[in-house]
Amino acid sequence: MNSALDRLKNLTNKISSYERARKENLNLLQNLYKELGIDQKVEEFSELFNFKAINLSGASLLSENLGEIKKGKYLQILAIGYDKNAVIKSKNISLGYFGKAENVDTDLKNKIVEFIIRFRFEKSFITLEHYYGMLESFKDDV
């Protein structure tokens, strides 16, 4: 009995920890959204999550070399929009252009990388909630 209670407590703590991390992430993401001037391209913060993805050119987003500059490239935040009714379904939209990657201030580059990682973190929660809701339709009415 104690073991089941311990597992329940651990699970509750983990869920609570994720929710706290998500809330903090959203606050920091919104700050970066304003600080990087993305609010000039996307008026409402919540509209960011209508994009399929947000990518970066000019620096790495891989965990083993996160933020590493790609020489000769331009640092740019690119959002991927999707319109299922359009002839060309997906479209790249520039959310921020910062010039040659090797000339961008390191602190600014780090904030750009952080913005994208924080966006992806929240987007993963949104995706999880979406599929969780879809799975509800497979439950048997008992």
Side-chain angles (χ1 to χ4, degrees), residues 59-70:
S60 174
L61 291 173
L62 299 173
S63 59
E64 57 270 8
N65 57 352
L66 188 63
E68 187 176 293
I69 293 296
K70 297 176 184 176

Side-chain angles (χ1 to χ4, degrees), residues 77-131:
I77 300 172
L78 297 168
I80 300 170
Y82 184 80
D83 182 353
K84 65 182 176 184
N85 299 318
V87 174
I88 299 174
K89 305 287 184 211
S90 64
K91 177 178 160 183
N92 286 349
I93 301 158
S94 176
L95 297 184
Y97 174 79
F98 303 93
K100 277 218 165 229
E102 55 261 24
N103 296 336
V104 174
D105 176 73
T106 302
D107 288 338
L108 176 59
K109 186 245 333 161
N110 290 342
K111 287 178 182 183
I112 294 165
V113 170
E114 180 183 359
F115 170 80
I116 294 168
I117 298 301
R118 290 191 178 286
F119 168 83
R120 290 180 175 184
F121 184 71
E122 176 57 23
K123 188 72 172 178
S124 68
F125 278 105
I126 293 168
T127 301
L128 178 69
E129 289 170 341
H130 168 75
Y131 285 110

Side-chain angles (χ1 to χ4, degrees), residues 1-141:
M1 179 75 163
N2 191 20
S3 176
L5 184 58
D6 288 340
R7 286 195 308 269
L8 181 59
K9 283 181 184 177
N10 287 337
L11 181 60
T12 302
N13 287 338
K14 187 177 271 189
I15 291 169
S16 175
S17 174
Y18 282 145
E19 283 304 312
R20 280 193 309 272
R22 184 178 183 187
K23 186 175 181 177
E24 178 183 356
N25 182 66
L26 270 172
N27 287 334
L28 293 169
L29 179 62
Q30 192 162 20
N31 291 340
L32 289 167
Y33 156 83
K34 292 175 185 168
E35 187 175 343
L36 296 173
I38 295 167
D39 59 340
Q40 302 300 310
K41 298 268 185 157
V42 180
E43 286 186 28
E44 293 294 322
F45 177 71
S46 62
E47 291 175 9
L48 273 179
F49 303 104
N50 293 336
F51 293 116
K52 283 288 193 190
I54 294 181
N55 292 321
L56 180 65
S57 67
S60 174
L61 291 173
L62 299 173
S63 59
E64 57 270 8
N65 57 352
L66 188 63
E68 187 176 293
I69 293 296
K70 297 176 184 176
K71 300 260 189 253
K73 301 285 184 177
Y74 294 93
L75 197 62
Q76 186 172 11
I77 300 172
L78 297 168
I80 300 170
Y82 184 80
D83 182 353
K84 65 182 176 184
N85 299 318
V87 174
I88 299 174
K89 305 287 184 211
S90 64
K91 177 178 160 183
N92 286 349
I93 301 158
S94 176
L95 297 184
Y97 174 79
F98 303 93
K100 277 218 165 229
E102 55 261 24
N103 296 336
V104 174
D105 176 73
T106 302
D107 288 338
L108 176 59
K109 186 245 333 161
N110 290 342
K111 287 178 182 183
I112 294 165
V113 170
E114 180 183 359
F115 170 80
I116 294 168
I117 298 301
R118 290 191 178 286
F119 168 83
R120 290 180 175 184
F121 184 71
E122 176 57 23
K123 188 72 172 178
S124 68
F125 278 105
I126 293 168
T127 301
L128 178 69
E129 289 170 341
H130 168 75
Y131 285 110
Y132 182 79
M134 287 179 71
L135 287 172
E136 291 294 311
S137 66
F138 294 106
K139 288 190 175 177
D140 292 335
D141 293 337

